[in-house]
Amino acid sequence: MSEIRTDPLTGLTTIFAPERAKRPIAIKSSQGDEDQSAEQIASDPFAEGKEDETEPELFAVRAPGSKPNGPGWSLRVVDNKYPALTPVSTPGSEHDSFGVHEVIVECPHYETHISRLDLASFQNMFHAYRARLRVHRQNPRLQYAIIFKNQGVLGGASLGHAHSQLMVSHVIPEALQREIETAQQYQAEQGTSLFEQLAFDPVLVTEHFDLICPYASRFAFETWLIPRSRGTHYDHSRDEELNDLAAITRRLLKALETILGSHDLNFVIQTPPFPTGDDAGYTWTLRIYPRLAHLAGFELASQMYVNPVFPEQARKLLQRELAQEQS
Protein backbone atom coordinates (compact mmCIF):
# COMPACT_ATOMS: atom_id res chain seq x y z
CA MET A 1 0.00 0.00 0.00
CA SER A 2 1.15 3.53 -0.76
CA GLU A 3 1.65 5.89 2.16
CA ILE A 4 2.30 9.63 2.48
CA ARG A 5 4.68 10.88 5.20
CA THR A 6 6.03 14.30 6.15
CA ASP A 7 9.44 14.67 7.75
CA PRO A 8 9.24 16.26 11.22
CA LEU A 9 12.47 18.25 10.72
CA THR A 10 12.52 19.29 7.06
CA GLY A 11 8.75 19.48 6.51
CA LEU A 12 9.23 17.71 3.15
CA THR A 13 6.65 15.15 2.04
CA THR A 14 7.34 11.73 0.54
CA ILE A 15 4.93 9.32 -1.15
CA PHE A 16 6.04 5.74 -0.48
CA ALA A 17 4.98 3.65 -3.46
CA PRO A 18 6.51 0.15 -3.33
CA GLU A 19 4.83 -0.87 -6.60
CA ARG A 20 7.07 1.66 -8.38
CA ALA A 21 10.05 -0.62 -7.71
CA LYS A 22 8.59 -3.12 -10.22
CA ARG A 23 8.48 -0.74 -13.17
CA PRO A 24 10.91 -1.42 -16.06
CA ILE A 25 13.75 1.09 -16.36
CA ALA A 26 15.74 1.09 -19.57
CA ILE A 27 17.85 4.20 -18.89
CA LYS A 28 20.85 3.62 -16.63
CA SER A 29 23.50 5.87 -15.19
CA SER A 30 26.62 5.93 -17.34
CA GLN A 31 28.78 5.62 -14.20
CA GLY A 32 27.93 2.06 -13.23
CA ASP A 33 30.61 -0.62 -13.15
CA GLU A 34 31.87 0.03 -16.66
CA ASP A 35 35.60 0.02 -17.16
CA GLN A 36 37.38 3.30 -16.65
CA SER A 37 38.68 4.32 -20.04
CA ALA A 38 42.34 5.11 -20.55
CA GLU A 39 41.24 8.52 -21.86
CA GLN A 40 39.38 9.34 -18.61
CA ILE A 41 42.36 8.43 -16.50
CA ALA A 42 44.86 10.21 -18.75
CA SER A 43 42.83 13.45 -18.76
CA ASP A 44 42.15 13.45 -14.99
CA PRO A 45 43.10 16.95 -13.71
CA PHE A 46 42.96 15.81 -10.04
CA ALA A 47 45.60 13.08 -10.42
CA GLU A 48 48.90 13.22 -8.59
CA GLY A 49 51.51 14.81 -10.86
CA LYS A 50 48.98 17.18 -12.44
CA GLU A 51 48.93 19.72 -9.66
CA ASP A 52 49.53 22.55 -12.15
CA GLU A 53 46.09 21.83 -13.68
CA THR A 54 44.29 22.92 -10.51
CA GLU A 55 44.31 26.12 -8.50
CA PRO A 56 47.09 26.33 -5.85
CA GLU A 57 46.42 24.14 -2.84
CA LEU A 58 44.87 25.66 0.27
CA PHE A 59 45.34 22.61 2.49
CA ALA A 60 46.90 19.19 2.01
CA VAL A 61 47.78 15.96 3.77
CA ARG A 62 51.33 15.28 2.56
CA ALA A 63 54.22 12.91 3.00
CA PRO A 64 57.10 14.38 5.01
CA GLY A 65 59.43 16.34 2.77
CA SER A 66 56.98 16.77 -0.11
CA LYS A 67 56.45 20.30 -1.38
CA PRO A 68 53.14 22.17 -1.84
CA ASN A 69 51.58 21.93 -5.30
CA GLY A 70 53.65 18.89 -6.19
CA PRO A 71 53.40 15.09 -5.78
CA GLY A 72 53.46 13.34 -2.42
CA TRP A 73 49.97 14.13 -1.13
CA SER A 74 47.08 11.98 0.08
CA LEU A 75 44.42 14.73 0.02
CA ARG A 76 44.36 18.24 -1.41
CA VAL A 77 41.99 21.20 -1.07
CA VAL A 78 41.96 23.78 -3.87
CA ASP A 79 39.71 26.58 -5.04
CA ASN A 80 37.14 25.42 -7.59
CA LYS A 81 38.34 26.45 -11.03
CA TYR A 82 34.74 27.12 -12.08
CA PRO A 83 33.19 28.53 -8.88
CA ALA A 84 29.54 29.18 -8.18
CA LEU A 85 30.60 31.71 -5.53
CA THR A 86 33.58 34.03 -5.90
CA PRO A 87 35.77 36.25 -3.70
CA VAL A 88 34.74 39.22 -5.86
CA SER A 89 32.37 41.29 -3.74
CA THR A 90 29.65 43.87 -4.39
CA PRO A 91 28.85 45.05 -0.84
CA GLY A 92 25.25 46.11 -0.34
CA SER A 93 24.04 44.60 -3.60
CA GLU A 94 21.20 42.09 -3.47
CA HIS A 95 23.07 40.24 -6.24
CA ASP A 96 26.33 39.96 -4.29
CA SER A 97 27.76 36.47 -4.98
CA PHE A 98 30.64 36.80 -2.54
CA GLY A 99 31.69 33.48 -1.05
CA VAL A 100 34.01 30.50 -1.21
CA HIS A 101 33.87 27.41 -3.39
CA GLU A 102 36.52 24.77 -2.75
CA VAL A 103 37.20 21.23 -3.97
CA ILE A 104 38.48 18.49 -1.68
CA VAL A 105 40.36 15.92 -3.79
CA GLU A 106 40.10 12.76 -1.71
CA CYS A 107 42.85 10.58 -3.19
CA PRO A 108 45.82 11.00 -5.55
CA HIS A 109 44.77 8.25 -7.99
CA TYR A 110 41.73 8.00 -10.27
CA GLU A 111 38.87 6.41 -8.35
CA THR A 112 35.17 7.04 -8.99
CA HIS A 113 33.63 5.41 -5.90
CA ILE A 114 34.56 6.69 -2.46
CA SER A 115 33.59 3.34 -0.91
CA ARG A 116 36.75 1.86 -2.44
CA LEU A 117 39.09 4.17 -0.54
CA ASP A 118 40.86 3.02 2.63
CA LEU A 119 40.02 4.14 6.15
CA ALA A 120 42.90 6.63 6.27
CA SER A 121 41.42 8.43 3.24
CA PHE A 122 38.08 8.78 5.02
CA GLN A 123 39.81 10.09 8.15
CA ASN A 124 41.78 12.63 6.09
CA MET A 125 38.59 13.77 4.40
CA PHE A 126 36.54 14.38 7.55
CA HIS A 127 39.45 16.10 9.32
CA ALA A 128 40.04 18.32 6.27
CA TYR A 129 36.40 19.40 6.28
CA ARG A 130 36.75 20.51 9.90
CA ALA A 131 39.99 22.38 9.21
CA ARG A 132 38.51 24.33 6.30
CA LEU A 133 35.32 25.21 8.20
CA ARG A 134 37.40 26.54 11.07
CA VAL A 135 39.27 28.81 8.66
CA HIS A 136 36.11 30.26 7.13
CA ARG A 137 34.40 30.72 10.49
CA GLN A 138 36.95 33.47 11.16
CA ASN A 139 35.59 35.60 8.31
CA PRO A 140 32.72 37.70 9.71
CA ARG A 141 31.25 38.15 6.23
CA LEU A 142 30.64 34.41 5.83
CA GLN A 143 27.60 32.98 7.60
CA TYR A 144 26.82 29.51 6.24
CA ALA A 145 28.82 26.56 4.91
CA ILE A 146 27.80 23.30 3.27
CA ILE A 147 29.93 20.29 2.40
CA PHE A 148 28.66 17.95 -0.29
CA LYS A 149 29.70 15.12 -2.59
CA ASN A 150 28.32 14.40 -6.05
CA GLN A 151 29.20 10.89 -7.23
CA GLY A 152 28.23 9.70 -10.69
CA VAL A 153 25.95 11.05 -13.39
CA LEU A 154 22.75 10.88 -11.33
CA GLY A 155 24.60 12.55 -8.47
CA GLY A 156 25.55 15.48 -10.71
CA ALA A 157 29.31 14.87 -10.86
CA SER A 158 31.17 16.53 -13.73
CA LEU A 159 34.46 14.68 -13.04
CA GLY A 160 34.88 11.04 -12.07
CA HIS A 161 37.84 11.38 -9.68
CA ALA A 162 36.60 11.11 -6.08
CA HIS A 163 36.14 14.59 -4.66
CA SER A 164 33.78 16.65 -2.56
CA GLN A 165 33.06 20.36 -2.37
CA LEU A 166 32.73 23.13 0.20
CA MET A 167 30.67 26.26 -0.40
CA VAL A 168 30.56 29.13 2.09
CA SER A 169 28.30 32.16 1.72
CA HIS A 170 26.67 35.09 3.48
CA VAL A 171 23.29 33.69 2.38
CA ILE A 172 21.47 31.21 4.65
CA PRO A 173 19.13 28.86 2.70
CA GLU A 174 15.47 29.11 3.65
CA ALA A 175 15.21 25.31 3.94
CA LEU A 176 17.94 25.23 6.60
CA GLN A 177 16.43 28.18 8.43
CA ARG A 178 13.11 26.30 8.61
CA GLU A 179 14.90 23.25 10.04
CA ILE A 180 16.51 25.36 12.75
CA GLU A 181 13.24 27.08 13.64
CA THR A 182 11.47 23.70 13.81
CA ALA A 183 14.17 22.30 16.11
CA GLN A 184 14.04 25.39 18.34
CA GLN A 185 10.25 25.23 18.61
CA TYR A 186 10.28 21.51 19.41
CA GLN A 187 12.87 21.97 22.15
CA ALA A 188 10.92 24.88 23.65
CA GLU A 189 7.67 22.90 23.68
CA GLN A 190 8.96 19.41 24.55
CA GLY A 191 12.00 20.21 26.65
CA THR A 192 14.17 17.85 24.61
CA SER A 193 15.89 17.75 21.23
CA LEU A 194 13.94 16.83 18.11
CA PHE A 195 17.01 14.82 17.09
CA GLU A 196 16.30 12.44 19.97
CA GLN A 197 12.98 11.63 18.25
CA LEU A 198 14.66 11.25 14.84
CA ALA A 199 17.15 8.75 16.29
CA PHE A 200 14.53 6.78 18.23
CA ASP A 201 14.85 3.57 16.15
CA PRO A 202 18.38 3.55 14.68
CA VAL A 203 19.88 1.17 12.15
CA LEU A 204 23.07 1.11 14.19
CA VAL A 205 24.56 2.85 17.21
CA THR A 206 28.32 3.41 17.48
CA GLU A 207 30.24 5.09 20.27
CA HIS A 208 29.64 8.53 18.77
CA PHE A 209 26.86 8.21 16.16
CA ASP A 210 23.29 7.11 15.57
CA LEU A 211 22.72 5.80 12.05
CA ILE A 212 19.10 6.18 10.91
CA CYS A 213 16.85 5.74 7.89
CA PRO A 214 14.62 8.84 8.16
CA TYR A 215 10.87 8.37 8.68
CA ALA A 216 10.04 10.23 5.44
CA SER A 217 13.15 9.32 3.40
CA ARG A 218 13.08 11.05 0.03
CA PHE A 219 15.37 8.51 -1.63
CA ALA A 220 15.55 4.72 -1.40
CA PHE A 221 18.04 3.77 1.35
CA GLU A 222 18.55 7.38 2.40
CA THR A 223 20.56 7.38 5.64
CA TRP A 224 21.61 10.00 8.19
CA LEU A 225 24.40 9.95 10.73
CA ILE A 226 23.60 11.99 13.85
CA PRO A 227 26.28 12.67 16.50
CA ARG A 228 25.28 11.20 19.86
CA SER A 229 26.72 14.28 21.56
CA ARG A 230 24.00 16.23 19.69
CA GLY A 231 26.71 18.75 18.90
CA THR A 232 25.53 21.80 17.00
CA HIS A 233 28.45 22.52 14.67
CA TYR A 234 30.49 20.05 12.63
CA ASP A 235 33.70 22.04 13.09
CA HIS A 236 33.40 21.66 16.87
CA SER A 237 33.66 17.85 16.55
CA ARG A 238 36.47 16.11 18.44
CA ASP A 239 39.10 13.91 16.78
CA GLU A 240 37.59 10.72 18.18
CA GLU A 241 34.17 11.66 16.78
CA LEU A 242 35.57 12.27 13.30
CA ASN A 243 37.52 9.00 13.36
CA ASP A 244 34.34 7.15 14.31
CA LEU A 245 32.47 9.01 11.57
CA ALA A 246 35.10 7.92 9.04
CA ALA A 247 34.82 4.27 10.06
CA ILE A 248 31.02 4.04 10.10
CA THR A 249 30.60 6.04 6.86
CA ARG A 250 33.00 3.72 5.05
CA ARG A 251 31.17 0.65 6.44
CA LEU A 252 27.81 2.12 5.45
CA LEU A 253 28.83 2.96 1.88
CA LYS A 254 30.25 -0.54 1.38
CA ALA A 255 27.02 -2.05 2.77
CA LEU A 256 24.95 0.09 0.40
CA GLU A 257 27.04 -1.09 -2.55
CA THR A 258 26.51 -4.72 -1.51
CA ILE A 259 22.73 -4.19 -1.36
CA LEU A 260 22.26 -1.85 -4.34
CA GLY A 261 25.22 -2.65 -6.54
CA SER A 262 27.37 0.12 -7.98
CA HIS A 263 25.35 3.32 -7.79
CA ASP A 264 25.54 7.09 -7.89
CA LEU A 265 25.00 9.15 -4.75
CA ASN A 266 25.12 12.46 -2.98
CA PHE A 267 26.09 13.15 0.56
CA VAL A 268 25.72 16.37 2.46
CA ILE A 269 27.03 17.59 5.80
CA GLN A 270 24.28 19.90 7.02
CA THR A 271 25.66 22.18 9.71
CA PRO A 272 23.95 25.39 10.89
CA PRO A 273 25.13 28.96 10.27
CA PHE A 274 28.31 29.89 12.15
CA PRO A 275 26.57 32.24 14.65
CA THR A 276 24.04 29.59 15.75
CA GLY A 277 24.23 29.03 19.51
CA ASP A 278 24.71 25.61 21.06
CA ASP A 279 21.37 26.08 22.85
CA ALA A 280 19.39 26.26 19.59
CA GLY A 281 18.37 22.57 19.72
CA TYR A 282 19.92 21.90 16.31
CA THR A 283 22.40 19.10 15.53
CA TRP A 284 24.61 18.77 12.47
CA THR A 285 24.10 15.65 10.35
CA LEU A 286 25.72 13.69 7.54
CA ARG A 287 22.99 12.74 5.05
CA ILE A 288 23.58 10.12 2.35
CA TYR A 289 21.29 9.97 -0.68
CA PRO A 290 21.72 7.00 -3.05
CA ARG A 291 20.66 8.18 -6.51
CA LEU A 292 19.01 5.26 -8.27
CA ALA A 293 16.78 7.30 -10.60
CA HIS A 294 16.44 10.83 -11.92
CA LEU A 295 14.21 13.36 -10.21
CA ALA A 296 11.27 13.77 -12.59
CA GLY A 297 8.56 16.28 -13.35
CA PHE A 298 6.36 15.43 -10.36
CA GLU A 299 9.16 16.01 -7.84
CA LEU A 300 10.33 19.21 -9.51
CA ALA A 301 6.83 20.67 -9.73
CA SER A 302 5.44 19.59 -6.35
CA GLN A 303 8.54 19.46 -4.11
CA MET A 304 7.15 16.08 -3.01
CA TYR A 305 9.16 12.91 -3.54
CA VAL A 306 8.26 9.36 -4.59
CA ASN A 307 10.23 6.59 -2.88
CA PRO A 308 9.68 2.87 -3.67
CA VAL A 309 11.42 1.67 -0.47
CA PHE A 310 10.00 2.20 3.02
CA PRO A 311 12.70 3.18 5.54
CA GLU A 312 11.68 0.23 7.73
CA GLN A 313 12.62 -2.14 4.89
CA ALA A 314 15.88 -0.30 4.25
CA ARG A 315 16.71 -0.43 7.96
CA LYS A 316 16.28 -4.22 8.13
CA LEU A 317 18.44 -4.84 5.08
CA LEU A 318 21.16 -2.47 6.29
CA GLN A 319 21.16 -3.95 9.79
CA ARG A 320 21.56 -7.43 8.31
CA GLU A 321 24.39 -6.37 5.99
CA LEU A 322 26.26 -4.37 8.62
CA ALA A 323 25.97 -7.27 11.09
CA GLN A 324 27.35 -9.75 8.52
CA GLU A 325 30.21 -7.43 7.66
CA GLN A 326 31.12 -7.02 11.34
CA SER A 327 31.04 -10.78 12.07
Side-chain angles (χ1 to χ4, degrees), residues 40-320:
Q40 283 178 306
I41 297 173
S43 62
D44 176 17
F46 291 159
E48 185 176 27
K50 294 189 175 182
E51 291 78 14
D52 60 347
E53 295 188 24
T54 70
E55 298 297 300
E57 68 188 45
L58 305 166
F59 175 93
V61 178
R62 292 191 154 275
S66 63
K67 296 181 180 180
N69 301 304
W73 53 274
S74 302
L75 173 146
R76 294 180 80 225
V77 180
V78 298
D79 281 319
N80 194 312
K81 211 168 187 176
Y82 308 99
L85 297 169
T86 71
V88 177
S89 177
T90 312
S93 168
E94 62 178 329
H95 305 298
D96 185 10
S97 62
F98 173 74
V100 173
H101 192 173
E102 298 177 356
V103 176
I104 300 91
V105 185
E106 296 157 353
C107 60
H109 58 281
Y110 188 85
E111 177 55 76
T112 59
H113 284 53
I114 186 177
S115 61
R116 299 168 189 163
L117 300 182
D118 61 16
L119 179 58
S121 297
F122 276 78
Q123 292 172 338
N124 290 341
M125 180 176 67
F126 287 118
H127 283 266
Y129 294 161
R130 182 181 64 180
R132 297 310 298 162
L133 286 175
R134 287 179 172 178
V135 168
H136 297 306
R137 178 182 284 278
Q138 304 309 310
N139 187 334
R141 297 186 58 197
L142 297 172
Q143 298 292 303
Y144 166 70
I146 187 167
I147 296 161
F148 62 95
K149 167 180 279 295
N150 302 332
Q151 177 175 291
V153 174
L154 295 179
S158 56
L159 290 172
H161 190 130
H163 68 283
S164 42
Q165 300 179 62
L166 167 66
M167 294 180 68
V168 196
S169 173
H170 61 91
V171 177
I172 300 171
E174 289 186 14
L176 175 60
Q177 192 59 51
R178 286 195 299 271
E179 286 190 20
I180 295 170
E181 291 169 357
T182 297
Q184 287 174 325
Q185 182 178 352
Y186 186 93
Q187 180 164 273
E189 293 176 354
Q190 304 296 326
T192 187
S193 169
L194 174 57
F195 290 83
E196 296 293 337
Q197 176 189 336
L198 298 180
F200 174 71
D201 191 11
V203 175
L204 181 71
V205 175
T206 70
E207 182 178 359
H208 297 288
F209 287 91
D210 292 317
L211 170 61
I212 70 165
C213 292
Y215 167 76
S217 306
R218 289 179 288 164
F219 300 92
F221 289 87
E222 176 181 339
T223 52
W224 293 16
L225 282 156
I226 305 175
R228 304 199 73 214
S229 66
R230 305 298 184 248
T232 304
H233 296 279
Y234 178 88
D235 58 312
H236 291 170
S237 301
R238 304 185 309 277
D239 287 352
E240 55 267 30
E241 289 180 293
L242 296 186
N243 291 338
D244 190 27
L245 179 64
I248 186 56
T249 302
R250 183 170 181 264
R251 283 181 61 198
L252 172 59
L253 292 175
K254 292 172 81 67
L256 286 169
E257 281 214 345
T258 299
I259 295 168
L260 302 173
S262 178
H263 61 278
D264 301 342
L265 62 82
N266 299 105
F267 78 50
V268 173
I269 292 178
Q270 188 70 286
T271 188
F274 294 135
T276 305
D278 290 338
D279 59 350
Y282 193 82
T283 297
W284 72 266
T285 52
L286 169 61
R287 307 176 187 185
I288 298 175
Y289 307 112
R291 300 299 301 275
L292 308 179
H294 288 285
L295 291 179
F298 175 79
E299 290 87 352
L300 296 174
S302 68
Q303 291 299 296
M304 297 170 64
Y305 294 78
V306 179
N307 185 346
V309 181
F310 280 100
E312 293 82 2
Q313 179 187 5
R315 183 189 306 120
K316 288 180 181 179
L317 290 171
L318 278 170
Q319 284 176 329
R320 184 185 310 159

